[in-house]
Each structure stands twice: as C-alpha cells, then as structure tokens.
Amino acid sequence: MDFEKYFVKSELIPAIIQEKSTGEVLMLAYMNRESMQKTFETGYTWFWSRSRQELWNKGATSGHLQKVVDIYADCDNDTLLITVEQTGAACHTGNHSCFFKKLK
C-alpha cells in the first residue's frame, strides 16, 4: 500500500484509537510512515513517540495490546480512525481510556 498520500501535510498523522466492541475512544497518538507500515504488517498498533523520538508498539511492555480491526482515513487523508480489540488499559495511567478527565 502507498502511504504517501497520508503524509502530504505533515510527517506525522494523528490516529484516533477506538474500541471496536464499545465505540469508546481510547486514545490519540501519532504515526509516521514506518509506524503505519508496521501497524499494517503486524496487525497491532505502532506509533511515533514525539517526546522520545522513537517508534513504540502499544502494549509491548505492559501487555495492554491493541489488535487492529479496521483502519479508516478521514475525507482529507490527514487523520486516521483505528478500531481495535483492546487488551487491558489503553492509558499509561492505568485507566481504560485516556479520556477520563471530564471538564464539563
């Protein structure tokens, strides 16, 4: 698959991770070409860490893996929606979703 059309605007593309069974949004992370390729090859999510400047496989150290079910691109090809089967917590804080801080 040619991934270039997803990186026209930026070297990173935001990826919204959603749990397939519940529809709950679990997290937002960023992918570069390599992490997107690895995600397609392995069937598990890979991202680019902006803070550490390195690839990371979600759940590789915690065991809280994300098995990819579907990958969708938005109408502008500049955001991905990835539905997954989540094992354990998606958030590094131990919460199931990273979106647990209600503001209003």
Side-chain angles (χ1 to χ4, degrees):
M1 173 179 248
D2 180 20
F3 297 122
E4 288 309 308
K5 66 182 172 186
Y6 305 106
F7 298 96
V8 171
K9 296 177 183 174
S10 175
E11 291 297 309
L12 298 175
I13 188 169
I16 301 163
I17 310 304
Q18 181 182 40
E19 191 163 34
K20 181 70 174 183
S21 63
T22 65
E24 182 178 16
V25 174
L26 299 176
M27 58 182 280
L28 172 95
Y30 292 86
M31 291 184 158
N32 64 6
R33 287 169 184 81
E34 187 178 1
S35 62
M36 193 172 177
Q37 179 70 41
K38 285 179 132 343
T39 297
F40 272 81
E41 288 173 358
T42 66
Y44 289 87
T45 56
W46 285 78
F47 303 106
W48 177 255
S49 171
R50 296 177 300 161
S51 59
R52 295 187 314 266
Q53 294 291 295
E54 65 183 16
L55 286 175
W56 58 284
N57 175 223
K58 179 65 177 167
T61 56
S62 67
H64 298 171
L65 299 169
Q66 295 175 335
K67 184 177 181 185
V68 174
V69 177
D70 299 299
I71 300 177
Y72 298 92
D74 76 340
C75 57
D76 295 322
N77 290 327
D78 62 4
T79 304
L80 300 176
L81 173 63
I82 303 175
T83 59
V84 301
E85 293 175 1
Q86 177 69 45
T87 301
C91 187
H92 71 278
T93 64
N95 286 285
H96 187 68
S97 169
C98 292
F99 296 96
F100 61 90
K101 297 179 183 179
K102 186 173 180 178
L103 301 182
K104 181 175 177 185

